[in-house]
Each structure stands twice: as structure tokens, then as C-alpha cells.
Amino acid sequence: LQVYFDNYAGVRELLFQDRDQDYCDFSSAITSKDDIKPLIESTDGVQRRNAAFHAALDSWWSNHVASIEDLPNTGKVFELRRQFLVSIADALADQGMLGLHQIRGAFASYMNDLAADFKSIAASGWGAELIPEQDILESQFPEVLEKIEQEQARIAELEALFAAASAASDDEESEDDEAGDEDSTGVLPKARVKLLKTEKKELNASIKAMKKQVKEMRQEADRRQESSGSDLKTNTLRAEASDTESESLAHYERVQEIDAELARHTKLESELKKLKANIREVEKQKDDLVEAARAKITPDEARQLILERLQRLLSEQYDGYLRQRQRELIAAVENLHNKYAVTVKQILAERDAQADQLNQFLVELGYE
């Protein structure tokens, strides 16, 4: 651990507090093992050392990027690789964060991964075909990427709502929870949608039959009124027609309620379909935009974009090694926590408490 503490200033003081000259306790900031990882990652000492490492890496890049820019003239990719393995080790070893084999190994992997790119630069210069589609869109059409990201985020949000509603419908004990979710999100389980549509269909059929029945009863009441005047049967027919009409109205109001409930669900369903259709259309347009942009990019613009990508990938390569170093520190501290977070004193106290409880049970059972 001392090696990590030497690299990351302030980490030891943040994680541990001295009990005496021989022993340490975990600091009050660590209440459980889960606190260790975020505490280490957010420590100023860790962030400063990582920043210093990247500053040294950026400085190395600035001092040697001219050799990459000259590749179309020299064509010596292997020679460049050999020189860079030596110079980057010299530039980063003093940081004390990675060993020589790690520094060289990371750079060798970087060169191997991009071997085709470097060979193409050496053979053909700074062609726009070397620029990945994503990089072209970011540089030439950032608004297209932003729109895609926003719509994909909304699609993910809607799909999560529909998935949650379907999952809830599978749990017969969650009916109350489902109602709350429907009110707040508007998304209904598939079974609920099917049930409501079936109910609406039956109600509409019933309303249609009732309207016909009301019409027939009133026509019959009118005929009886004309032929024999008002009598009990005529009045009964008119009363039944009114009752049936009231029932039909109740059915109609229920249909309106169903429509309102389905409308929110259907609106979200339509939005999801439209968003997916938009994504497909934008994806088609994206290919055309990329090809058109490639044709317009000058060799100087292509060189700049390619170099930015090469530098970014180099930084990401070493980021992986720096994160691994942090994980090693985190694992070491977590291992200590597993062993020593609970003191012998606490263990003995818990043992005594359990023994006391057992004795009480024995007394209650009449054994003592």
C-alpha cells in the first residue's frame, strides 16, 4: 500500500487514522466497504496524479507529432514505432505511475491496433477515408448526432416504461401499484389494454342495441297513443325507454373513460413508433451526409481530424492502465476492510451478547 500512498498524496490520511504508533483505524469517512471505491476515485491526490500523467503524455505527443505528420514523406512506420517505444518510456517513467513494461506494453498495443491506419498514412497520406464515421459527424454535423442521442434516450425511456408495465402485469399481487404507475406514466400493461378494448367493443355494441330498442319502444308507445290514447302499457313503454336510454348514457360515459385511459397509452405508443421511424430515417440520411462530408474534407482538415483521433486513442489506452492501478489500490483497501473492519473487541462483545441470550432461553425452558 505504501507504493500507492507515495503516488497518491493524501489518500492514506483520507482512508486511515492513527490509533497509536503501531496501529491504524479506518477513517470516519468509511462507514462500510462500499464507501472505499468512490472515496479513492474522488480523492484530489488521485485526480492530480492522473492529470499530471496525462499532462506528461500530452507533452510527449506535442514533441513527437511532427514525426507522425511526416510519415507520408518517410514511410517508415516500423522505425517510428521503435523510436516512440523508447521516447515515450523516457517521458512517462518519471511519473512513477506505471512500470516500463506497462508503458511500453500500452504503446505497443496502441500501435498494433492502429497498424493499418499508420501504414495507410505512410502509403497514401491524409485521406478522408481514414476518418471514422463518428468523427466526421462530430466535426461536420454535430446537430445530427445530438438529435440521434436525444431520440435514442427518449426511446430507451419509453421502452423502460412499457417493460415495467408489462412486468407489473405479470405480478397478480401488484394491482394497486399498477394503478399508481398508470396514473403517473400513462403506460398500461398489454393485458390491461386488451381488456379495455374488449370492454369498449362490448359497450359500443350494447349502446347500439339499446338505441335501437329505445327507438322501437317509443315508436310502439306512439302507435298505442294514436290508436287508443294513453294507457298503462303506453306509459310503461315510455318509462322503459327512458330507463334504457339512461343505461345507454352510462355505457357511453364509460366508453369515454376508456378512451381517455387508452389515449395516454396510445399517445406514448405512437411517440415510440415515430421516434424509431425517425431514427431509421436519420440513419439512412447519415450515410449520405458522411459520404458528402468525406468528399469535401481537405487533406489538411483530414490530417487534423486523424491526429486528434490518434491522440485521443493513445490517451484512452493509458487511461485503462491508470484505472487498473486504482482498482488495485481499491482492492487492497477493501481486503483490509474485510479482515479488520470488525475488531476483536466487537467480536467478543457480540459473542457475549449471544451467550447471554442463549442463557436466557435456557432459563425460560427450565434448564437452569
Side-chain angles (χ1 to χ4, degrees):
L1 279 175
Q2 189 59 46
V3 175
Y4 297 104
F5 295 155
D6 291 341
N7 282 147
Y8 302 128
V11 170
R12 182 189 183 281
E13 292 74 15
L14 191 66
L15 297 173
F16 303 101
Q17 57 189 13
D18 292 332
R19 183 193 303 174
D20 52 42
Q21 63 180 5
D22 297 318
Y23 295 98
C24 294
D25 292 319
F26 284 100
S27 72
S28 58
I30 299 177
T31 58
S32 71
K33 190 172 75 171
D34 293 337
D35 295 329
I36 295 171
K37 182 175 183 291
L39 195 62
I40 290 176
E41 291 176 341
S42 62
T43 301
D44 288 342
V46 171
Q47 295 181 357
R48 283 198 303 269
R49 293 296 289 138
N50 288 342
F53 184 92
H54 277 289
L57 181 61
D58 291 343
S59 178
W60 174 87
W61 177 268
S62 298
N63 292 333
H64 294 83
V65 69
S67 298
I68 300 177
E69 292 178 305
D70 200 35
L71 263 181
N73 299 322
T74 66
K76 298 179 179 179
V77 176
F78 182 78
E79 178 66 17
L80 185 76
R81 181 181 188 274
R82 186 183 64 79
Q83 292 175 359
F84 279 3
L85 276 171
V86 175
S87 63
I88 199 167
D90 292 340
L92 300 180
D94 289 344
Q95 294 295 314
M97 297 289 287
L98 303 177
L100 283 177
H101 69 285
Q102 291 175 310
I103 296 172
R104 290 173 177 167
F107 191 79
S109 297
Y110 166 78
M111 291 296 293
N112 290 339
D113 292 343
L114 296 170
D117 295 74
F118 281 106
K119 290 177 182 178
S120 181
I121 293 170
S124 307
W126 305 98
E129 67 277 1
L130 292 177
I131 307 172
E133 177 183 287
Q134 188 76 6
D135 289 0
I136 288 182
L137 288 172
E138 287 177 355
S139 64
Q140 305 295 319
F141 308 103
E143 69 284 353
V144 173
L145 283 182
E146 183 180 1
K147 180 180 180 182
I148 291 175
E149 290 173 0
Q150 290 175 348
E151 293 190 343
Q152 286 177 335
R154 180 57 177 164
I155 287 173
E157 180 183 355
L158 290 173
E159 287 181 336
L161 291 177
F162 282 103
S166 296
S169 68
D170 293 336
D171 186 356
E172 295 180 356
E173 296 180 0
S174 64
E175 293 180 359
D176 292 338
D177 293 337
E178 284 179 22
D181 289 342
E182 292 160 17
D183 290 341
S184 60
T185 68
V187 177
L188 304 173
K190 290 182 180 179
R192 176 67 174 167
V193 172
K194 183 178 180 180
L195 183 66
L196 289 174
K197 288 183 176 180
T198 300
E199 183 183 359
K200 179 182 175 180
K201 183 178 180 181
E202 293 173 351
L203 287 171
N204 282 332
S206 180
I207 290 170
K208 183 177 180 181
M210 287 179 178
K211 286 182 176 179
K212 181 179 179 182
Q213 185 180 5
V214 167
K215 181 178 180 181
E216 291 174 351
M217 285 189 293
R218 284 181 172 163
Q219 288 176 343
E220 177 63 20
D222 289 342
R223 285 194 295 270
R224 292 183 65 85
Q225 178 77 32
E226 292 175 358
S227 61
S228 57
S230 179
D231 57 10
L232 180 60
K233 180 62 175 177
T234 301
N235 293 335
T236 299
L237 284 170
R238 295 190 186 282
E240 289 178 351
S242 296
D243 291 342
T244 303
E245 194 169 42
S246 296
E247 186 178 356
S248 174
L249 180 60
H251 284 4
Y252 176 77
E253 290 174 350
R254 174 56 186 155
V255 169
Q256 296 295 102
E257 292 175 359
I258 292 174
D259 284 342
E261 190 173 354
L262 287 174
R264 293 185 298 167
H265 176 86
T266 303
K267 183 179 179 180
L268 293 173
E269 206 170 40
S270 299
E271 182 186 357
L272 180 58
K273 291 178 181 177
K274 183 178 179 180
L275 286 170
K276 288 184 175 180
N278 288 347
I279 289 289
R280 288 193 295 270
E281 185 61 30
V282 171
E283 289 292 338
K284 292 178 183 178
Q285 295 176 0
K286 188 173 70 174
D287 294 337
D288 296 334
L289 290 173
V290 169
E291 289 307 311
R294 282 191 200 277
K296 293 180 180 180
I297 292 176
T298 66
D300 283 342
E301 290 174 331
R303 176 178 55 80
Q304 184 62 34
L305 289 172
I306 293 169
L307 288 174
E308 288 175 359
R309 172 173 173 262
L310 294 178
Q311 184 180 11
R312 183 180 70 250
L313 293 177
L314 180 63
S315 180
E316 291 173 358
Q317 182 77 23
Y318 281 102
D319 261 341
Y321 280 79
L322 295 178
R323 285 194 295 271
Q324 175 61 33
R325 187 171 181 78
Q326 286 178 211
R327 286 194 293 269
E328 291 170 359
L329 171 58
I330 291 168
V333 177
E334 288 180 341
N335 185 50
L336 286 177
H337 192 277
N338 290 337
K339 289 183 177 180
Y340 303 115
V342 180
T343 65
V344 173
K345 184 177 180 180
Q346 288 174 292
I347 294 173
L348 293 176
E350 291 177 4
R351 182 201 64 183
D352 293 342
Q354 294 295 326
D356 290 342
Q357 188 176 27
L358 177 61
N359 289 334
Q360 291 178 7
F361 290 154
L362 292 174
V363 170
E364 291 173 1
L365 292 172
Y367 289 103
E368 291 187 10

